[in-house]
Amino acid sequence: TYIVSGGGGASLHDLNVSAAERAEEASFRQAFAEQYHATVLEVTPTEIRGQAISNDGELLDSFSVAIPP
């Protein structure tokens, strides 16, 4: 499992154009938002939890992944 988060700093890109230009990668996308955001991770001994939060505080996406024993 990996996370790619590009939500801070540079100018925003049209994600539909990006997906069309890189169709081989588009099927791997689980969620996307064309807005500035931060990714917050919480790691415990049993799981990793993450949240993508927009710069105005809106929760854009969240996930959890269990850590195998």
Side-chain angles (χ1 to χ4, degrees), residues 36-64:
Y36 295 112
H37 65 278
T39 302
V40 178
L41 300 174
E42 180 181 358
V43 180
T44 71
T46 58
E47 75 177 336
I48 300 170
R49 290 189 293 265
Q51 296 182 319
I53 302 172
S54 72
N55 61 345
D56 62 0
E58 176 188 0
L59 178 64
L60 301 173
D61 193 25
S62 65
F63 69 91
S64 65

